[in-house]
Amino acid sequence: MNRKILMLTLLIAVAPGMAMSASVYKWTDENGITHFGDRQPVGANSETVNVRSGTSSSAAANRPSPQKRLGEFQEQQQKEADREKETAVEAARRKQRVANCESARSNLKVIDSNARIRIEENGELRYLSPEEVAEQREKLEEIATENCEPEDQS
């Protein structure tokens, strides 16, 4: 039983190789017609023909055309450029947030030092009232809260 299975396995393994190496013969009959066959003709001179197997026509049909490949390449480049632009915008926005945070914290330190704060209005200098100082403190705390906390990654 084992010999039969071994022989069957060997035959199945060798059969495709034998089929691929089969010879093709070419000959011309008495009427001048050229024939091709897998068996050598009797009584006629024939020559062996090398047969090359290439890719099937379905493989060539599945390959995208050069125009389509170019379009896909250009689309990919556009996506990469958009991504880089988005990254640059994000970096600029982060830098602006850091600058706003530092400015707000610095101004809060000045307000908290109980110094008199002088502003210029219409070309004239004047000191802020305690109510205006409190108002400015609230605005600066709000700016610091918005810009100094980590940004949501949603």
Side-chain angles (χ1 to χ4, degrees):
M1 183 71 174
N2 284 339
R3 282 186 173 180
K4 289 181 181 178
I5 293 174
L6 180 63
M7 287 300 289
L8 182 62
T9 305
L10 185 62
L11 181 63
I12 290 173
V14 173
M18 290 175 58
M20 290 299 288
S21 65
S23 299
V24 175
Y25 298 96
K26 173 183 170 187
W27 71 93
T28 306
D29 66 4
E30 59 274 351
N31 297 328
I33 298 173
T34 304
H35 297 276
F36 294 91
D38 59 348
R39 290 186 226 140
Q40 192 169 13
V42 178
N45 290 334
S46 65
E47 61 184 79
T48 306
V49 178
N50 286 335
V51 179
R52 289 185 249 169
S53 63
T55 59
S56 65
S57 60
S58 64
N62 291 337
R63 190 177 329 144
S65 69
Q67 291 85 4
K68 185 175 181 182
R69 290 187 1 221
L70 177 63
E72 290 171 354
F73 178 70
Q74 288 173 339
E75 185 178 317
Q76 181 182 5
Q77 280 186 326
Q78 183 64 39
K79 285 180 182 177
E80 287 178 18
D82 291 345
R83 225 180 339 222
E84 287 176 9
K85 183 179 178 183
E86 188 175 307
T87 304
V89 168
E90 283 295 316
R93 202 163 71 78
R94 256 192 318 276
K95 285 181 182 179
Q96 185 63 48
R97 282 176 51 92
V98 168
N100 290 347
C101 175
E102 290 174 0
S103 176
R105 285 183 175 168
S106 172
N107 290 338
L108 278 170
K109 283 180 184 177
V110 170
I111 287 177
D112 291 338
S113 70
N114 292 324
R116 293 183 69 189
I117 300 172
R118 194 169 47 174
I119 63 166
E120 182 180 336
E121 277 186 347
N122 301 323
E124 293 183 18
L125 294 175
R126 74 172 185 88
Y127 290 101
L128 291 179
S129 68
E131 294 83 21
E132 290 174 319
V133 170
E135 210 176 281
Q136 287 297 320
R137 179 179 283 119
E138 284 180 31
K139 286 181 185 177
L140 291 171
E141 286 173 349
E142 191 175 304
I143 291 171
T145 302
E146 288 176 6
N147 292 287
C148 295
E149 292 180 359
E151 196 171 353
D152 290 337
Q153 299 294 326
S154 50

